[in-house]
Amino acid sequence: MPTPLPRPAAISPEEYRQRRESLLAKLPSHAALLVPGASLVTRSHDSEYPFRQQSDFYYLTGFQEPDALLVLLPGRGEGQSVVFCQDRDPHLEAWTGRRLGAQGVVSQHGLDQAFENAERDARLPSLLEGRELLYAPLDNPDALGIAKEALAQAQSGMRRGKPPLKGWLDSRPLIHEMRLIKSPAEIALLRHAAAISAQAHVRAMRTCQAGVYEYQLQAELEHTFVWHGASGPAYSTIVGGGANACVLHYIENSDVLEENTLVLIDAGAEFDLYAGDITRTFPVGGRFNDAQRELYHVVLGAQERAVKAIAPGATLADIHQGVVEDLTAGLIEVGLLTGDVQARIDDESYRRFYLHSTSHWLGLDVHDVGTYRLDEATPRPLMPGMVLTVEPGLYIPCDDDIPEAYRGIGIRIEDNVVVTEQGHDILTADVPKQVEDIEKLMANK
């Protein structure tokens, strides 16, 4: 078996503290900010899905237990960052594992104060008393419930001269703007998630042959993720053989792989909650046929030029437009479209074969947070520390007007790229994507 990859350093409590302080500095002095953590989700009867912490909460705390609540209180003398956490309970801990408790949260994660959830109903109103604005994720029912209760408490106290609660605002834009630029420690974790993901894709290429089921390649991928210390896949693994590759979010992975077809794999590992996200497309039998190679080179050329365009000041809108031009020209060259490139772009006939955008942010979420535009008219320029995917594709339907050689071919090539001061760094370069490199790897199983 391969030697597990060496683990990178975890993000330090000091970095989490700096994030909280940066966020506190953005808040008005009489505000409070609430960020609930995730809860366990029942899978069936008395079993739960594997726990995965809420990303914003984790970004600010590094704390991995369920049913927690972070409260940020600018200017509070007893401590500006307070966490409510699960109660210590020896009986439950014997079944589900040790809980840190309030003292452990403070000592291990560097929060100013912590209280167990048994105290939350009694302590939270006093913590929020006098705060005129509450920031909370407005898509979170728990956070909205707390905000509404705080409003009721404030209204009942107005007759006694207490200041009114003026309302609440969405906390997500403040936090998500911070998350868009990754620190060196975050980039190291993303690089590690990409390295694990790359080893998994190489293993799948070496394993693949006609007669193998899609789910068997999925098993090879996810085995590799966990073998190297990842928690598992960062999203539902896609293994689409033949025409299944033309279904963008195909996750059934139930069909047998057939000779003379391609298989598209979109899969990435999650390591310390940071995501890898790689797509490769390769021939089941190890060699591309003429039609497959022709379309593959169209996608590869577009993908390579898009990656080269990544640099500070570039925009995702411009990169996507370049991909659209390259793919449209390629579709005309192979005869799947006719006429002038710009005309086919203007009438959007290329969208029959290319249905999605070229890039998305990557980080704690596989489709990570952060706006793509500064306003409706202005695309956001890339900056060092941003991490994104580059993933053009072509998806050829099995319709009667399509030449038979191209029917049911789906191709996507995706890499993870970090923007640097000098340009960019490809995190996923360890997975072959040149035709000759793929065929050589698959020939030497």
Short mmCIF file of all heavy atoms in Angstrom, two decimals, residues 17-69:
data_model
loop_
_atom_site.label_atom_id
_atom_site.label_comp_id
_atom_site.label_asym_id
_atom_site.label_seq_id
_atom_site.Cartn_x
_atom_site.Cartn_y
_atom_site.Cartn_z
N ARG A 17 -8.07 33.33 16.14
CA ARG A 17 -8.27 34.53 16.95
C ARG A 17 -8.15 35.78 16.09
O ARG A 17 -8.96 36.72 16.22
CB ARG A 17 -7.26 34.57 18.09
CG ARG A 17 -7.44 35.77 19.04
CD ARG A 17 -6.31 35.88 20.03
NE ARG A 17 -5.05 36.17 19.36
CZ ARG A 17 -4.70 37.38 18.91
NH1 ARG A 17 -5.53 38.41 19.04
NH2 ARG A 17 -3.53 37.56 18.33
N GLN A 18 -7.16 35.82 15.21
CA GLN A 18 -7.00 36.97 14.34
C GLN A 18 -8.20 37.17 13.43
O GLN A 18 -8.61 38.31 13.16
CB GLN A 18 -5.71 36.81 13.51
CG GLN A 18 -4.44 36.92 14.33
CD GLN A 18 -3.20 36.59 13.52
OE1 GLN A 18 -3.28 36.20 12.35
NE2 GLN A 18 -2.03 36.73 14.14
N ARG A 19 -8.78 36.07 12.96
CA ARG A 19 -9.99 36.19 12.13
C ARG A 19 -11.13 36.81 12.93
O ARG A 19 -11.85 37.70 12.43
CB ARG A 19 -10.40 34.81 11.61
CG ARG A 19 -9.42 34.19 10.64
CD ARG A 19 -9.83 32.77 10.30
NE ARG A 19 -8.85 32.10 9.44
CZ ARG A 19 -8.90 30.84 9.09
NH1 ARG A 19 -9.90 30.07 9.55
NH2 ARG A 19 -7.98 30.31 8.32
N ARG A 20 -11.31 36.35 14.16
CA ARG A 20 -12.38 36.92 14.99
C ARG A 20 -12.14 38.40 15.25
O ARG A 20 -13.07 39.21 15.19
CB ARG A 20 -12.51 36.15 16.30
CG ARG A 20 -12.97 34.73 16.15
CD ARG A 20 -13.34 34.10 17.48
NE ARG A 20 -12.21 33.98 18.40
CZ ARG A 20 -11.39 32.94 18.45
NH1 ARG A 20 -11.55 31.91 17.62
NH2 ARG A 20 -10.40 32.89 19.34
N GLU A 21 -10.89 38.76 15.51
CA GLU A 21 -10.59 40.16 15.78
C GLU A 21 -10.81 41.02 14.53
O GLU A 21 -11.31 42.15 14.64
CB GLU A 21 -9.14 40.29 16.27
CG GLU A 21 -8.94 39.73 17.68
CD GLU A 21 -7.54 39.94 18.20
OE1 GLU A 21 -6.67 40.39 17.41
OE2 GLU A 21 -7.30 39.65 19.39
N SER A 22 -10.47 40.49 13.37
CA SER A 22 -10.71 41.23 12.13
C SER A 22 -12.20 41.44 11.91
O SER A 22 -12.63 42.53 11.49
CB SER A 22 -10.12 40.48 10.94
OG SER A 22 -8.71 40.42 11.03
N LEU A 23 -13.00 40.42 12.22
CA LEU A 23 -14.44 40.55 12.06
C LEU A 23 -15.02 41.51 13.11
O LEU A 23 -15.88 42.35 12.79
CB LEU A 23 -15.09 39.17 12.18
CG LEU A 23 -16.59 39.09 11.97
CD1 LEU A 23 -17.01 39.70 10.63
CD2 LEU A 23 -17.06 37.64 12.06
N LEU A 24 -14.56 41.42 14.34
CA LEU A 24 -15.02 42.34 15.38
C LEU A 24 -14.75 43.79 15.00
O LEU A 24 -15.57 44.69 15.28
CB LEU A 24 -14.33 42.01 16.71
CG LEU A 24 -14.89 40.83 17.49
CD1 LEU A 24 -13.86 40.28 18.46
CD2 LEU A 24 -16.17 41.24 18.23
N ALA A 25 -13.63 44.04 14.36
CA ALA A 25 -13.28 45.41 13.96
C ALA A 25 -14.22 45.98 12.91
O ALA A 25 -14.32 47.20 12.76
CB ALA A 25 -11.84 45.45 13.44
N LYS A 26 -14.94 45.11 12.21
CA LYS A 26 -15.88 45.56 11.19
C LYS A 26 -17.26 45.85 11.76
O LYS A 26 -18.12 46.40 11.06
CB LYS A 26 -16.02 44.49 10.09
CG LYS A 26 -14.71 44.13 9.39
CD LYS A 26 -14.93 43.00 8.38
CE LYS A 26 -13.61 42.46 7.86
NZ LYS A 26 -12.86 43.43 7.08
N LEU A 27 -17.50 45.49 13.03
CA LEU A 27 -18.83 45.62 13.62
C LEU A 27 -18.97 46.96 14.35
O LEU A 27 -18.02 47.44 14.97
CB LEU A 27 -19.08 44.49 14.62
CG LEU A 27 -19.00 43.06 14.09
CD1 LEU A 27 -19.22 42.07 15.23
CD2 LEU A 27 -20.02 42.84 12.98
N PRO A 28 -20.16 47.57 14.31
CA PRO A 28 -20.41 48.74 15.15
C PRO A 28 -20.26 48.38 16.63
O PRO A 28 -20.44 47.23 17.03
CB PRO A 28 -21.86 49.10 14.82
CG PRO A 28 -22.14 48.46 13.49
CD PRO A 28 -21.31 47.23 13.46
N SER A 29 -19.94 49.38 17.45
CA SER A 29 -19.61 49.10 18.86
C SER A 29 -20.78 48.53 19.64
O SER A 29 -20.58 47.81 20.62
CB SER A 29 -19.10 50.37 19.53
OG SER A 29 -20.09 51.41 19.46
N HIS A 30 -22.02 48.82 19.25
CA HIS A 30 -23.19 48.33 19.98
C HIS A 30 -23.88 47.19 19.23
O HIS A 30 -25.09 47.00 19.35
CB HIS A 30 -24.18 49.48 20.24
CG HIS A 30 -23.63 50.52 21.17
ND1 HIS A 30 -23.37 50.26 22.50
CD2 HIS A 30 -23.28 51.81 20.95
CE1 HIS A 30 -22.90 51.35 23.07
NE2 HIS A 30 -22.82 52.31 22.15
N ALA A 31 -23.09 46.42 18.48
CA ALA A 31 -23.64 45.29 17.73
C ALA A 31 -23.22 43.98 18.40
O ALA A 31 -22.36 43.95 19.28
CB ALA A 31 -23.16 45.32 16.28
N ALA A 32 -23.86 42.92 17.96
CA ALA A 32 -23.45 41.55 18.32
C ALA A 32 -23.58 40.70 17.06
O ALA A 32 -24.39 41.01 16.17
CB ALA A 32 -24.33 40.99 19.43
N LEU A 33 -22.75 39.68 16.98
CA LEU A 33 -22.79 38.78 15.83
C LEU A 33 -22.94 37.35 16.32
O LEU A 33 -22.22 36.92 17.24
CB LEU A 33 -21.53 38.93 14.98
CG LEU A 33 -21.50 38.15 13.66
CD1 LEU A 33 -20.82 38.95 12.56
CD2 LEU A 33 -20.78 36.81 13.83
N LEU A 34 -23.88 36.63 15.71
CA LEU A 34 -24.17 35.24 16.09
C LEU A 34 -23.85 34.33 14.92
O LEU A 34 -24.25 34.60 13.78
CB LEU A 34 -25.66 35.08 16.43
CG LEU A 34 -26.27 36.05 17.44
CD1 LEU A 34 -27.78 35.87 17.47
CD2 LEU A 34 -25.67 35.81 18.81
N VAL A 35 -23.12 33.25 15.18
CA VAL A 35 -22.87 32.24 14.16
C VAL A 35 -23.12 30.87 14.77
O VAL A 35 -22.30 30.37 15.56
CB VAL A 35 -21.42 32.30 13.61
CG1 VAL A 35 -21.24 31.28 12.49
CG2 VAL A 35 -21.08 33.69 13.13
N PRO A 36 -24.25 30.23 14.47
CA PRO A 36 -24.48 28.87 14.97
C PRO A 36 -23.63 27.85 14.23
O PRO A 36 -23.38 27.97 13.02
CB PRO A 36 -25.97 28.63 14.69
CG PRO A 36 -26.55 29.97 14.35
CD PRO A 36 -25.42 30.75 13.77
N GLY A 37 -23.17 26.83 14.95
CA GLY A 37 -22.53 25.70 14.31
C GLY A 37 -23.59 24.74 13.77
O GLY A 37 -24.79 24.97 13.88
N ALA A 38 -23.14 23.66 13.18
CA ALA A 38 -24.05 22.66 12.62
C ALA A 38 -24.53 21.71 13.72
O ALA A 38 -23.92 21.60 14.79
CB ALA A 38 -23.36 21.87 11.52
N SER A 39 -25.62 21.02 13.43
CA SER A 39 -26.15 19.98 14.32
C SER A 39 -26.05 18.63 13.62
O SER A 39 -25.90 18.55 12.39
CB SER A 39 -27.61 20.27 14.67
OG SER A 39 -27.72 21.48 15.39
N LEU A 40 -26.15 17.57 14.40
CA LEU A 40 -26.23 16.24 13.82
C LEU A 40 -27.53 16.10 13.04
O LEU A 40 -28.57 16.63 13.43
CB LEU A 40 -26.16 15.18 14.92
CG LEU A 40 -24.79 15.01 15.59
CD1 LEU A 40 -24.94 14.16 16.86
CD2 LEU A 40 -23.80 14.37 14.65
N VAL A 41 -27.47 15.36 11.94
CA VAL A 41 -28.64 15.14 11.10
C VAL A 41 -28.94 13.65 11.09
O VAL A 41 -28.06 12.83 10.79
CB VAL A 41 -28.40 15.66 9.67
CG1 VAL A 41 -29.62 15.37 8.79
CG2 VAL A 41 -28.08 17.14 9.68
N THR A 42 -30.18 13.32 11.42
CA THR A 42 -30.57 11.91 11.47
C THR A 42 -30.58 11.31 10.07
O THR A 42 -31.14 11.87 9.13
CB THR A 42 -31.97 11.76 12.09
OG1 THR A 42 -31.92 12.27 13.42
CG2 THR A 42 -32.40 10.30 12.12
N ARG A 43 -29.94 10.18 9.95
CA ARG A 43 -29.94 9.44 8.68
C ARG A 43 -31.09 8.44 8.64
O ARG A 43 -31.82 8.36 7.66
CB ARG A 43 -28.61 8.71 8.50
CG ARG A 43 -28.49 7.95 7.19
CD ARG A 43 -27.14 7.22 7.11
NE ARG A 43 -26.95 6.58 5.82
CZ ARG A 43 -27.42 5.37 5.51
NH1 ARG A 43 -28.10 4.66 6.41
NH2 ARG A 43 -27.21 4.86 4.31
N SER A 44 -31.21 7.67 9.71
CA SER A 44 -32.27 6.67 9.78
C SER A 44 -32.45 6.28 11.24
O SER A 44 -31.51 5.77 11.87
CB SER A 44 -31.90 5.44 8.94
OG SER A 44 -32.85 4.41 9.10
N HIS A 45 -33.64 6.50 11.77
CA HIS A 45 -33.98 6.14 13.14
C HIS A 45 -32.98 6.74 14.11
O HIS A 45 -32.98 7.93 14.32
CB HIS A 45 -34.09 4.61 13.25
CG HIS A 45 -34.67 4.16 14.57
ND1 HIS A 45 -35.81 4.72 15.11
CD2 HIS A 45 -34.27 3.21 15.44
CE1 HIS A 45 -36.09 4.15 16.26
NE2 HIS A 45 -35.16 3.22 16.49
N ASP A 46 -32.09 5.93 14.68
CA ASP A 46 -31.18 6.47 15.70
C ASP A 46 -29.74 6.56 15.21
O ASP A 46 -28.80 6.57 16.01
CB ASP A 46 -31.24 5.63 16.98
CG ASP A 46 -30.86 4.17 16.75
OD1 ASP A 46 -30.68 3.79 15.58
OD2 ASP A 46 -30.74 3.43 17.74
N SER A 47 -29.54 6.62 13.90
CA SER A 47 -28.19 6.81 13.36
C SER A 47 -28.14 8.14 12.61
O SER A 47 -29.14 8.58 12.03
CB SER A 47 -27.78 5.66 12.44
OG SER A 47 -28.61 5.62 11.29
N GLU A 48 -26.97 8.77 12.65
CA GLU A 48 -26.81 10.09 12.05
C GLU A 48 -25.84 10.04 10.88
O GLU A 48 -24.99 9.15 10.78
CB GLU A 48 -26.28 11.11 13.08
CG GLU A 48 -27.26 11.52 14.15
CD GLU A 48 -27.32 10.51 15.30
OE1 GLU A 48 -26.29 9.84 15.53
OE2 GLU A 48 -28.39 10.41 15.93
N TYR A 49 -25.97 11.05 10.00
CA TYR A 49 -24.96 11.25 8.99
C TYR A 49 -23.66 11.68 9.67
O TYR A 49 -23.69 12.26 10.76
CB TYR A 49 -25.38 12.35 8.01
CG TYR A 49 -26.46 11.92 7.05
CD1 TYR A 49 -27.79 12.30 7.24
CD2 TYR A 49 -26.15 11.16 5.93
CE1 TYR A 49 -28.78 11.92 6.35
CE2 TYR A 49 -27.14 10.77 5.03
CZ TYR A 49 -28.45 11.16 5.25
OH TYR A 49 -29.42 10.77 4.37
N PRO A 50 -22.50 11.40 9.06
CA PRO A 50 -21.26 11.90 9.64
C PRO A 50 -21.34 13.41 9.84
O PRO A 50 -21.83 14.14 8.96
CB PRO A 50 -20.20 11.54 8.59
CG PRO A 50 -20.77 10.37 7.86
CD PRO A 50 -22.26 10.60 7.83
N PHE A 51 -20.87 13.86 10.99
CA PHE A 51 -21.00 15.29 11.31
C PHE A 51 -20.01 16.10 10.48
O PHE A 51 -18.85 15.74 10.32
CB PHE A 51 -20.73 15.53 12.80
CG PHE A 51 -20.76 16.99 13.17
CD1 PHE A 51 -21.96 17.67 13.18
CD2 PHE A 51 -19.60 17.66 13.49
CE1 PHE A 51 -22.01 19.02 13.50
CE2 PHE A 51 -19.63 19.00 13.83
CZ PHE A 51 -20.84 19.69 13.84
N ARG A 52 -20.51 17.24 9.98
CA ARG A 52 -19.67 18.17 9.25
C ARG A 52 -20.00 19.57 9.76
O ARG A 52 -21.12 20.05 9.65
CB ARG A 52 -19.93 18.06 7.75
CG ARG A 52 -18.78 18.52 6.85
CD ARG A 52 -18.76 20.00 6.64
NE ARG A 52 -17.76 20.39 5.65
CZ ARG A 52 -17.49 21.66 5.35
NH1 ARG A 52 -18.12 22.66 5.97
NH2 ARG A 52 -16.57 21.94 4.44
N GLN A 53 -18.99 20.26 10.33
CA GLN A 53 -19.23 21.55 10.94
C GLN A 53 -19.64 22.60 9.91
O GLN A 53 -19.22 22.54 8.74
CB GLN A 53 -17.97 22.02 11.69
CG GLN A 53 -18.13 23.28 12.51
CD GLN A 53 -19.20 23.15 13.58
OE1 GLN A 53 -20.39 23.33 13.30
NE2 GLN A 53 -18.78 22.81 14.80
N GLN A 54 -20.45 23.56 10.33
CA GLN A 54 -20.84 24.69 9.48
C GLN A 54 -19.59 25.52 9.16
O GLN A 54 -18.78 25.83 10.02
CB GLN A 54 -21.89 25.54 10.19
CG GLN A 54 -22.71 26.41 9.29
CD GLN A 54 -22.03 27.73 8.94
OE1 GLN A 54 -21.16 28.18 9.66
NE2 GLN A 54 -22.44 28.32 7.83
N SER A 55 -19.42 25.88 7.89
CA SER A 55 -18.14 26.42 7.44
C SER A 55 -17.80 27.77 8.06
O SER A 55 -16.65 28.02 8.43
CB SER A 55 -18.13 26.53 5.91
OG SER A 55 -18.20 25.24 5.32
N ASP A 56 -18.76 28.69 8.15
CA ASP A 56 -18.46 30.00 8.74
C ASP A 56 -18.08 29.85 10.21
O ASP A 56 -17.15 30.51 10.69
CB ASP A 56 -19.67 30.94 8.62
CG ASP A 56 -19.87 31.45 7.21
OD1 ASP A 56 -18.95 31.30 6.37
OD2 ASP A 56 -20.95 32.00 6.94
N PHE A 57 -18.81 29.02 10.94
CA PHE A 57 -18.48 28.78 12.35
C PHE A 57 -17.07 28.21 12.47
O PHE A 57 -16.27 28.66 13.31
CB PHE A 57 -19.52 27.84 12.96
CG PHE A 57 -19.26 27.52 14.41
CD1 PHE A 57 -19.80 28.32 15.42
CD2 PHE A 57 -18.49 26.43 14.78
CE1 PHE A 57 -19.55 28.03 16.76
CE2 PHE A 57 -18.24 26.13 16.10
CZ PHE A 57 -18.77 26.94 17.10
N TYR A 58 -16.75 27.23 11.65
CA TYR A 58 -15.42 26.62 11.70
C TYR A 58 -14.34 27.63 11.33
O TYR A 58 -13.27 27.66 11.95
CB TYR A 58 -15.37 25.42 10.76
CG TYR A 58 -14.08 24.64 10.85
CD1 TYR A 58 -13.86 23.75 11.89
CD2 TYR A 58 -13.08 24.80 9.90
CE1 TYR A 58 -12.67 23.04 11.99
CE2 TYR A 58 -11.89 24.10 9.98
CZ TYR A 58 -11.70 23.22 11.03
OH TYR A 58 -10.51 22.53 11.11
N TYR A 59 -14.60 28.47 10.35
CA TYR A 59 -13.63 29.47 9.92
C TYR A 59 -13.24 30.41 11.06
O TYR A 59 -12.10 30.87 11.15
CB TYR A 59 -14.21 30.28 8.76
CG TYR A 59 -13.33 31.38 8.25
CD1 TYR A 59 -12.25 31.09 7.41
CD2 TYR A 59 -13.56 32.71 8.60
CE1 TYR A 59 -11.43 32.11 6.93
CE2 TYR A 59 -12.74 33.72 8.12
CZ TYR A 59 -11.68 33.42 7.29
OH TYR A 59 -10.86 34.42 6.83
N LEU A 60 -14.17 30.66 11.96
CA LEU A 60 -13.93 31.60 13.06
C LEU A 60 -13.48 30.93 14.35
O LEU A 60 -13.03 31.62 15.27
CB LEU A 60 -15.19 32.43 13.33
CG LEU A 60 -15.59 33.36 12.18
CD1 LEU A 60 -17.00 33.91 12.41
CD2 LEU A 60 -14.60 34.50 12.03
N THR A 61 -13.60 29.62 14.45
CA THR A 61 -13.31 28.95 15.73
C THR A 61 -12.38 27.74 15.61
O THR A 61 -11.62 27.45 16.54
CB THR A 61 -14.60 28.46 16.40
OG1 THR A 61 -15.19 27.42 15.60
CG2 THR A 61 -15.60 29.60 16.60
N GLY A 62 -12.47 26.98 14.52
CA GLY A 62 -11.77 25.70 14.43
C GLY A 62 -12.37 24.62 15.30
O GLY A 62 -11.79 23.54 15.44
N PHE A 63 -13.57 24.87 15.86
CA PHE A 63 -14.20 23.96 16.83
C PHE A 63 -15.12 23.01 16.08
O PHE A 63 -15.96 23.43 15.30
CB PHE A 63 -14.96 24.79 17.85
CG PHE A 63 -15.62 23.99 18.94
CD1 PHE A 63 -14.95 22.98 19.61
CD2 PHE A 63 -16.92 24.27 19.32
CE1 PHE A 63 -15.57 22.25 20.62
CE2 PHE A 63 -17.55 23.57 20.33
CZ PHE A 63 -16.87 22.55 20.98
N GLN A 64 -15.01 21.70 16.36
CA GLN A 64 -15.63 20.67 15.54
C GLN A 64 -16.83 19.98 16.17
O GLN A 64 -17.35 19.05 15.58
CB GLN A 64 -14.59 19.59 15.19
CG GLN A 64 -13.66 19.98 14.05
CD GLN A 64 -14.28 19.65 12.70
OE1 GLN A 64 -15.46 19.89 12.44
NE2 GLN A 64 -13.49 19.07 11.82
N GLU A 65 -17.31 20.40 17.35
CA GLU A 65 -18.44 19.71 17.95
C GLU A 65 -19.77 20.30 17.48
O GLU A 65 -19.84 21.49 17.16
CB GLU A 65 -18.36 19.78 19.48
CG GLU A 65 -17.23 18.95 20.06
CD GLU A 65 -17.21 18.98 21.58
OE1 GLU A 65 -18.23 19.37 22.19
OE2 GLU A 65 -16.17 18.60 22.16
N PRO A 66 -20.83 19.48 17.46
CA PRO A 66 -22.13 19.99 17.03
C PRO A 66 -22.80 20.86 18.09
O PRO A 66 -22.38 20.90 19.25
CB PRO A 66 -22.94 18.72 16.78
CG PRO A 66 -22.31 17.69 17.65
CD PRO A 66 -20.85 18.03 17.71
N ASP A 67 -23.86 21.56 17.65
CA ASP A 67 -24.76 22.31 18.53
C ASP A 67 -24.03 23.39 19.33
O ASP A 67 -24.31 23.61 20.51
CB ASP A 67 -25.50 21.36 19.48
CG ASP A 67 -26.35 20.36 18.73
OD1 ASP A 67 -26.92 20.73 17.68
OD2 ASP A 67 -26.43 19.19 19.16
N ALA A 68 -23.12 24.08 18.67
CA ALA A 68 -22.40 25.18 19.30
C ALA A 68 -22.89 26.51 18.73
O ALA A 68 -23.51 26.56 17.67
CB ALA A 68 -20.90 25.03 19.08
N LEU A 69 -22.60 27.57 19.45
CA LEU A 69 -22.99 28.92 19.03
C LEU A 69 -21.86 29.88 19.37
O LEU A 69 -21.40 29.92 20.52
CB LEU A 69 -24.27 29.36 19.75
CG LEU A 69 -24.69 30.83 19.53
CD1 LEU A 69 -25.14 31.05 18.08
CD2 LEU A 69 -25.80 31.22 20.50
#
